[in-house]
Amino acid sequence: MSDLATLEADLSARIVAATDEASLDAIRVDALGKQGAISGLMKTLGTMSPEERQAMGPKLNGLKDRIGEAIVTKKAQLAEAALEAKLAAEKVDASLPPPAVRTGAIHPVSHVMEELARIFGEMGFALEEGPDIETDFHNFTALNFPPKHPARDMHDTFFLNATDEMGQRKVLRTHTSPVQVRTMLKQKPPIRMICMGRTYRKDSDATHTPMFHQIEGLVIDEVTTMADLKGTLMAFIKAYFEIDDVRVRFRPHHFPFTEPSAEMDVGCDRSGGSVRIGTGDDWLEILGCGMVHPNVLRACGLDPEVYQGYAFGMGVDRLATLKYGMPDLRDYFAADVRWLKHYGFSPYLLPGLAGGL
Amino acid sequence: MKFTVSWLKDHLETTATTDEIVAAMTMAGLEVEEVIDPGAKLAAFSVAKIVEAVQHPNADRLRVCQVDTKDGRKEIVCGAPNARAGLVTIYAPIGAYVPGIGVTLEARPVRGVVSNGMLCSGAELEVDGDADGILELDLKLAVGTPAAQALGVADAVIDFEVTPNRPDWLGVAGIARDLAAAGVGRLTTRGVTPAPARIVSPVRVATEDESACPVFAARLVRGVRNGPSPAWLQQRLKAIGIKPRSALVDITNFLCFDRARPLHVYDAAKLKGVVRARLGKAGESFAALDGKTYAVTPEMCVIADDNGVLGLGGVIGGESSGCSEQTTDVLIESALFDPLRIFQTGRATGINTDARYRFERGVDPGFIVPGLDLATRMVLELCGGLASEEMVAGKIPGPPAPVIFDLDRVRTLAGLDVKPPRVRAILKALGFESEAHEGSFAKRIIVQPPSWRSDVQGRADIVEEVARIEGYDKLPANDPPRATGYRAPAASVGESRARIARRALAGAGYLECVTWSFCEKKHAALFGGGAEALLLANPIASDLDCMRPSALPNLLRAAQRNLDRGHGDALLFEAGPAWTGADETGQSRTVAAIRQPRPQRHWQGAPAPDLYAMKRDCMLVLSAIGAPMTALMAGPAAAPWQHPGRGGSLKIGNRVVAAFGDVHPRILAGLDVDGPALAFEIFVDLLPPPRAKATREKPALEKIDLMPLSRDFAFVVDDAVAAADLVRAAYGADKTLIEDVALFDVYRGPGVAEGKKSLAIEVRLQPREKTLADAEIEAVSSKIVASVAKATGGVLRG
């Protein structure tokens, strides 16, 4: 074996045996550095005869290239191995639990109110608001409750110690109808509004709580009839219960503030313990409605010879129960975290037509 | 109001079934609550006759009977000792469910002989308690007669809700009238022919207060025999749960339900002087027919004679003048009382009588005298005697005022097309008179409501009558109008903000609660509430007696209830109202949140929830609902519920728009809630409304390509200096270049003097036109140092 072959074999063996970048670099210096073996041989080329140079040049250059390449290759291998080792050392148990994120929820009443606002909003109803503490005028008188009507009694209505300008005790509104009164007093027809919110009656059992929620609607113009009322409410029922076909029944009823008055029943199926709206032969009373009483229009400064329209009202909590379960109304207001987590709604669920209600 | 179908048929000739009657009532506005049909369970049973009864070949106590039934002749095995040829009894076919023994019959051999049905005892049918033998019925009963009819239990009882506008439905005749109008049958209620006067009444009547008792009418019948009333009358009353007493009393009860005409009968022998309706006097009292003694007040209308109070007019009679079997002369009272006074007297005394129920809703003034005459006739018929003349004190009110009615109004108000002749026919059937209005070309009529319909006051009432009888099921349903242009969303600024706040907080892990708008007064006081004006005059419970000044007390109490059940670490919020006053400006929209924290455990370690976490969530909501975040100023704890040293407020100008921090331990103790607890509260209405802009366009994005750079500063300040003041001062040092200031370290200890702290901030500079030279950066730094020094007295930490 020539000297060159011995040198190449020796360097190659050392490269293969190198275990880290430092030792590899030492080999490079030994072979290709300024004082390196190959560099030293390259320098001798100048002292050679042209013939010798002709023979040795290519051999030396070939050796230099092969060793250089071997070093680069080995270097990449070492880097790869080092990364593998580092990665192996960094391994953790990814099955450990992450930092806790609490899941919150929106109360069913809030969710249902948004659904209602959405549905009636799309039918062109604007949202109106009014205070929970009302005057006798807005809550009763303007709504054609006769003086001393039983609803005005301390047994049924909450009174405050505060009094109004007439010296009458203020009341906690027993329905959201005073918002209708306020709207008619401030705005000329056409009126197309809903109002929602807390209402209060002196009741307490599984289906009555001293505070509950109502939604009411009011349309006043010169031509609206009970047929418009029926069609709008049918459209509402379909949208809210997400059913195509719904049987409804208007039954005559009596309210002081509407004439004619009706209660609306929807078809339902009570077999199997729960109520399914839209199917079955049974009826479920769902709301009260009617044409606004001329006395109410008059009390709100509107001429009943010119204006007419309808009003309807229903219990939000009851609507929530009918769609989502939750039979005992008292639970709605008990703030029991088990109930809230179970019946509450994800904040990412947007009531709306794009994503279903 | 309860009545039986057979009673209804006294006034209504109809072939309608109970179900059809109930359906018609519902659609006419008589809301049926319950139908009790005692005959329903007997539907399978019918009358049969035993033709032959012979000893069972294999059993001493059994007989094999040949029985004629509706299904033909049947061989039936019977164990009853009275089973014998010729007996008429009740037969149950195979397949019938026998209620008294809870068995459905099957055809199976009894000791080798197949029994094709069963002969029944009263106990087996649950009609009477007799179990000793099979029923022995009237031999004249035809085979196949339904058992319910044969046993006299065929009568269904209907219970329905009488709406307050229709007191005429408190009489069976009134129900029949509406049903006849609705097409269920023909009204057969007979008119009243007054009984002639044979004697002159020795007792006179009077009304002293015509507002309390507008009419007091009476007749006296002399020489009556007051025994038990006849069976038919007793059965009528018993069927609706009224106990028969004596003929005289039963007559008054009967007419009360038959004609909605309450009456009262006095034993004339026990009366002294003029019987008069007057207001009560303080100190008076009387023993009522319910066995109790009632004190009378000047607000009550009493009936009195010279001896004193006899009873409460229209509410309850008195014991002293009540009729008994010894009564020979009876004074029959038919009067009219002020509904409101009746209601108040009833409520004050707690007396609920059928008379009160009718008088407080209003009785037919047109039937005062006819009712009296009808009662007199019945007394003469059932008890004999001679009747006096009619005595009528006061003035009988007239019927409601006539209504001028456009025949087209049914269509224009109800949307229901009812032809004029039909309109008038419906009104006539309901007892309304109508005639054409002069010069209206038959488009308009004058309608006279009947005396019993004081609820009818205008055109809308007439529309309801016509629509109701024509049928609400005929109402068309017009689709809601489609949008023809832009429609504003059904929202308000406040409501939109509440909706967003709910999403933000639920997304941050909070559970939304809806708690009472009221709380306990002493709890309200802890939160700055409890003012006299906001107390309820009639709370439903003593711990719900005050409008809440904040949702926080209710949320904190809720957290404790959850903790007591083993569900601690509550994270609760409510977006709802709070009150500072009872007028319209006293109600505000708030977002309140609480946490009753528990130390957090996580294998990596977890920060303890503290006031800064609450501040973060508070600011999260503020930002989400569009509060002007850069305008918010940090202030000290401001609310009464706050721990004075561990809380803060956020202000716009001088207005506190939010408060956050630890709940004061004294407040927690007052609420009986375990500490520590954290809370925040946002006053949504105090935030400025979104600026109204002409378009929805957002301002153009200012995108600067020059690299931003950061510089850190550490200042030594007095311990009392609020970090926010230092940050604000640094921020304000150069409004063009300084993009952000972030506080990243607070240090107290070696190297910083006692009573001082070091606050370190990172200031991010955004060059705007060219890269900043060192000198320019130096200049900004100097401005920051100067500004901080001026605002806080802070000096750069050496």
Side-chain angles (χ1 to χ4, degrees):
Chain A
M1 196 192 285
S2 70
D3 288 350
L4 279 186
T6 308
L7 178 62
E8 182 166 3
D10 182 39
L11 286 172
S12 297
R14 284 178 63 195
I15 289 166
V16 167
T19 55
D20 53 35
E21 281 197 53
S23 56
L24 189 66
D25 202 50
I27 299 165
R28 186 190 56 80
V29 171
D30 284 355
L32 305 171
K34 275 185 181 167
Q35 309 297 322
I38 295 172
S39 307
L41 289 171
M42 296 292 278
K43 282 176 195 158
T44 64
L45 285 175
T47 64
M48 290 180 189
S49 66
E51 292 78 25
E52 280 175 328
R53 203 184 297 139
Q54 193 82 37
M56 277 308 281
K59 283 181 185 170
L60 277 175
N61 276 324
L63 176 63
K64 183 184 164 189
D65 289 350
R66 285 194 298 278
I67 293 302
E69 201 169 307
I71 288 171
V72 167
T73 305
K74 180 67 181 180
K75 191 172 176 177
Q77 283 170 0
L78 285 175
E80 188 62 25
L83 179 61
E84 287 299 332
K86 183 167 180 283
L87 292 179
E90 284 173 354
K91 181 177 162 50
V92 295
D93 178 3
S95 73
L96 281 167
V101 172
R102 299 273 291 247
T103 310
I106 289 180
H107 196 282
V109 166
S110 300
H111 181 85
V112 166
M113 281 196 176
E114 281 200 44
E115 291 189 15
L116 300 177
R118 188 97 202 180
I119 294 166
F120 285 110
E122 271 152 21
M123 290 196 243
F125 289 81
L127 182 75
E128 297 290 342
E129 293 173 334
D132 294 18
I133 297 176
E134 270 295 0
T135 64
D136 177 86
F137 172 80
H138 289 96
N139 196 73
F140 292 125
T141 306
L143 290 159
N144 197 37
F145 281 78
K148 309 292 178 181
H149 184 279
R152 294 177 145 180
D153 196 88
M154 298 275 264
H155 288 252
D156 300 312
T157 299
F158 288 112
F159 290 87
L160 284 120
N161 282 349
T163 53
D164 60 21
E165 303 88 60
M166 312 292 288
Q168 283 180 294
R169 279 185 191 279
K170 293 209 169 183
V171 302
L172 285 181
R173 64 182 182 191
T174 57
H175 42 191
T176 47
S177 312
V179 184
Q180 297 187 24
V181 173
R182 288 173 179 277
T183 305
M184 284 188 271
L185 284 170
K186 75 171 183 196
Q187 185 187 329
K188 279 264 155 253
I191 293 170
R192 198 170 172 81
M193 59 148 282
I194 53 166
C195 50
M196 295 188 272
R198 296 178 177 215
T199 46
Y200 309 85
R201 285 180 203 172
K202 224 182 142 184
D203 262 334
S204 191
D205 59 40
T207 54
H208 298 89
T209 46
M211 181 183 95
F212 56 104
H213 296 83
Q214 274 196 343
I215 175 170
E216 292 187 1
L218 173 75
V219 170
I220 301 287
D221 55 27
E222 295 174 22
V223 295
T224 287
T225 70
M226 217 163 167
D228 298 308
L229 170 63
K230 190 175 182 181
T232 295
L233 290 175
M234 284 176 71
F236 160 72
I237 294 294
K238 287 178 192 175
Y240 178 71
F241 289 107
E242 301 173 48
I243 44 180
D244 260 345
D245 193 26
V246 63
R247 287 187 313 130
V248 308
R249 178 171 81 174
F250 263 44
R251 265 186 301 107
H253 199 72
H254 172 73
F255 303 108
F257 31 77
T258 47
E259 188 79 29
S261 304
E263 278 186 336
M264 193 171 93
D265 299 337
V266 292
C268 73
D269 179 3
R270 284 195 175 87
S271 62
S274 63
V275 179
R276 287 191 57 192
I277 304 294
T279 57
D281 299 326
D282 233 339
W283 292 106
L284 179 79
E285 177 195 325
I286 201 159
L287 59 83
C289 60
M291 301 305 290
V292 178
H293 198 289
N295 290 352
V296 174
L297 294 171
R298 255 179 235 120
C300 296
L302 299 176
D303 181 356
E305 298 297 317
V306 178
Y307 296 112
Q308 64 183 46
Y310 64 71
F312 59 83
M314 51 198 145
V316 174
D317 320 271
R318 184 167 151 74
L319 284 172
T321 296
L322 290 175
K323 187 164 176 179
Y324 296 112
M326 312 165 291
D328 193 327
L329 193 57
R330 290 169 294 202
D331 290 338
Y332 280 64
F333 310 111
D336 182 328
V337 295
R338 296 166 298 180
W339 190 92
L340 296 170
K341 281 179 188 167
H342 183 81
Y343 289 111
F345 286 84
S346 161
Y348 310 113
L349 196 66
L350 284 169
L353 294 186
L357 281 166
Chain B
M1 168 76 185
K2 274 185 189 166
F3 66 96
T4 62
V5 170
S6 66
W7 195 338
L8 178 69
K9 288 180 177 175
D10 288 352
H11 296 278
L12 187 71
E13 185 184 306
T14 181
T15 54
T17 63
T18 302
D19 283 350
E20 285 162 353
I21 290 168
V22 166
M25 286 177 66
T26 302
M27 288 314 290
L30 298 87
E31 193 175 346
V32 175
E33 283 170 343
E34 198 183 7
V35 180
I36 307 141
D37 191 352
K41 66 182 179 195
L42 300 179
F45 302 85
S46 56
V47 171
K49 184 169 186 173
I50 301 176
V51 180
E52 178 195 294
V54 299
Q55 186 63 40
H56 190 291
N58 306 323
D60 289 349
R61 310 240 299 259
L62 298 179
R63 281 178 187 77
V64 178
C65 305
Q66 301 304 317
V67 186
D68 277 351
T69 74
K70 69 175 166 64
D71 303 324
R73 186 158 298 181
K74 297 276 180 184
E75 185 168 82
I76 295 173
V77 180
C78 183
N82 61 337
R84 61 180 186 273
L87 184 70
V88 172
T89 187
I90 294 295
Y91 151 77
I94 297 301
Y97 175 78
V98 184
I101 53 175
V103 164
T104 301
L105 298 183
E106 294 167 37
R108 60 188 164 114
V110 181
R111 297 273 181 109
V113 178
V114 172
S115 184
N116 298 297
M118 179 176 165
L119 302 176
C120 303
S121 71
E124 282 155 351
L125 298 180
E126 293 184 329
V127 290
D128 64 37
D130 185 7
D132 293 343
I134 54 176
L135 285 159
E136 298 197 22
L137 302 177
D138 187 340
L139 297 178
K140 291 193 288 274
L141 279 169
V143 166
T145 304
Q149 187 185 325
L151 298 170
V153 293
D155 217 2
V157 179
I158 298 174
D159 191 5
F160 77 105
E161 185 199 336
V162 178
T163 51
N165 59 325
R166 293 302 303 271
D168 58 312
W169 285 342
L170 292 169
V172 177
I175 301 164
R177 186 187 303 110
D178 271 40
L179 286 174
V184 177
R186 191 174 66 86
L187 190 66
T188 57
T189 304
R190 282 183 299 275
V192 181
T193 317
R198 304 273 190 221
I199 58 165
V200 174
S201 171
V203 179
R204 310 313 298 173
V205 298
T207 171
E208 289 183 0
D209 189 313
E210 291 196 13
S211 71
C213 174
V215 183
F216 189 7
R219 288 184 86 169
L220 186 134
V221 183
R222 179 182 292 162
V224 298
R225 292 174 310 279
N226 186 26
S229 62
W232 70 265
L233 179 49
Q234 295 201 18
Q235 201 175 349
R236 281 273 175 271
L237 296 178
K238 276 196 273 188
I240 58 168
I242 292 174
K243 194 175 158 193
R245 294 183 188 276
S246 67
L248 290 174
V249 174
D250 291 356
I251 288 166
T252 65
N253 283 333
F254 175 76
L255 289 175
C256 187
F257 283 88
D258 192 63
R259 301 297 183 98
R261 172 27 62 188
L263 300 157
H264 189 66
V265 285
Y266 300 87
D267 187 332
K270 297 172 184 167
L271 300 172
K272 186 180 176 198
V274 176
V275 176
R276 60 190 73 229
R278 62 163 168 84
L279 294 183
K281 294 170 191 160
E284 287 183 318
S285 67
F286 75 106
L289 285 170
D290 61 2
K292 295 180 193 163
T293 297
Y294 293 94
V296 168
T297 71
E299 285 76 43
M300 298 175 181
C301 179
V302 302
I303 308 298
D305 68 359
D306 290 358
N307 287 330
V309 176
L310 300 170
L312 288 171
V315 177
I316 198 165
E319 220 170 52
S320 67
S321 56
C323 289
S324 67
E325 291 196 357
Q326 284 72 48
T327 300
T328 56
D329 296 352
V330 59
L331 182 74
I332 310 165
E333 167 203 307
S334 179
L336 189 63
F337 297 98
D338 171 27
L340 178 54
R341 197 177 291 272
I342 294 287
F343 170 70
Q344 287 164 335
T345 301
R347 191 143 253 182
T349 55
I351 301 170
N352 283 306
T353 56
D354 295 314
R356 171 196 163 185
Y357 194 72
R358 282 159 182 75
F359 278 120
E360 71 187 10
R361 282 161 179 75
V363 301
D364 177 7
F367 202 68
I368 299 170
V369 172
L372 179 61
D373 287 333
L374 189 53
T376 305
R377 275 209 168 273
M378 284 186 77
V379 169
L380 293 175
E381 261 170 48
L382 303 183
C383 308
L386 296 172
S388 81
E389 80 284 15
E390 284 164 9
M391 297 170 278
V392 181
K395 187 171 178 296
I396 294 173
V403 178
I404 296 172
F405 187 72
D406 290 316
L407 285 159
D408 199 30
R409 191 65 186 139
V410 181
R411 186 185 61 78
T412 61
L413 189 65
L416 194 59
D417 203 358
V418 187
K419 297 284 174 274
R422 173 73 177 141
V423 170
R424 294 184 69 168
I426 288 171
L427 291 173
K428 188 169 173 16
L430 291 171
F432 293 67
E433 301 296 332
S434 67
E435 58 182 75
H437 185 260
E438 267 176 62
S440 71
F441 306 102
K443 288 180 182 162
R444 200 175 264 191
I445 53 175
I446 302 174
V447 179
Q448 175 57 59
S451 61
W452 60 85
R453 291 302 303 273
S454 61
D455 61 300
V456 175
Q457 290 162 353
R459 298 189 298 164
D461 301 298
I462 307 281
V463 171
E464 178 170 86
E465 291 311 297
V466 174
R468 179 174 73 85
I469 297 302
E470 180 69 4
Y472 278 10
D473 52 334
K474 297 199 181 81
L475 279 176
N478 296 346
D479 281 338
R482 306 296 304 174
T484 52
Y486 166 71
R487 280 173 176 174
S492 62
V493 170
E495 184 56 32
S496 292
R497 284 175 161 162
R499 288 174 192 167
I500 294 166
R502 287 187 187 108
R503 297 228 130 70
L505 281 173
Y510 291 75
L511 293 169
E512 187 191 6
C513 306
V514 176
T515 68
W516 305 129
S517 295
F518 359 83
C519 65
E520 191 170 354
K521 182 190 171 189
K522 69 174 186 191
H523 292 166
L526 296 173
F527 288 76
E532 184 64 21
L534 287 168
L535 296 182
L536 294 179
N538 55 339
I540 196 154
S542 60
D543 60 347
L544 299 173
D545 60 347
C546 181
M547 298 311 288
R548 66 187 192 190
S550 161
L552 291 175
N554 289 352
L555 290 174
L556 287 163
R557 287 292 310 145
Q560 186 64 33
R561 284 198 303 276
N562 281 299
L563 178 66
D564 292 345
R565 277 192 295 261
H567 297 270
D569 204 16
L571 205 52
L572 306 176
F573 82 98
E574 178 164 3
W579 284 268
T580 54
D583 57 357
E584 281 173 37
T585 57
Q587 177 175 340
S588 64
R589 200 186 290 269
T590 68
V591 175
I594 62 104
R595 181 165 200 175
Q596 196 179 23
R598 189 166 62 179
Q600 303 296 293
R601 305 209 298 183
H602 188 256
W603 58 274
Q604 289 178 302
D610 64 5
L611 69 108
Y612 299 106
M614 289 316 267
K615 184 180 184 181
R616 173 197 62 205
D617 296 340
C618 178
M619 293 178 72
L620 170 80
V621 174
L622 284 167
S623 169
I625 64 179
M629 298 306 285
T630 53
L632 291 181
M633 309 271 285
W641 58 265
Q642 289 188 285
H643 183 305
R646 295 183 64 82
S649 56
L650 296 167
K651 305 200 286 187
I652 297 176
N654 289 326
R655 281 193 308 199
V656 172
V657 297
F660 61 89
D662 289 41
V663 181
H664 199 300
R666 211 184 289 134
I667 302 287
L668 292 174
L671 290 172
D672 206 8
V673 168
D674 294 348
L678 302 158
F680 72 78
E681 189 171 27
I682 297 171
F683 304 100
V684 179
D685 296 337
L686 296 183
L687 299 174
R691 227 175 291 147
K693 289 187 221 151
T695 72
R696 290 277 187 184
E697 193 180 28
K698 298 185 178 213
L701 170 64
E702 190 191 16
K703 201 166 64 181
I704 297 165
D705 289 335
L706 297 166
M707 283 289 282
L709 57 127
S710 290
R711 286 293 179 273
D712 291 354
F713 301 85
F715 292 98
V716 174
V717 293
D718 282 347
D719 220 356
V721 167
D725 292 343
L726 186 144
V727 169
R728 178 169 289 273
Y731 197 80
D734 187 320
K735 292 205 165 103
T736 23
L737 286 176
I738 297 174
E739 193 184 57
D740 190 28
V741 178
L743 188 141
F744 65 89
D745 190 45
V746 180
Y747 176 77
R748 295 179 187 85
V752 175
E754 189 77 11
K756 303 267 185 187
K757 64 186 171 187
S758 162
L759 299 175
I761 56 172
E762 177 183 345
V763 179
R764 187 175 156 99
L765 303 173
Q766 175 62 64
R768 304 218 157 244
E769 279 145 21
K770 58 178 179 57
T771 308
L772 295 180
D774 283 351
E776 288 166 312
I777 296 170
E778 208 46 52
V780 176
S781 297
S782 302
K783 279 203 269 181
I784 290 168
V785 171
S787 176
V788 167
K790 188 172 172 224
T792 67
V795 292
L796 270 185
R797 191 172 164 193

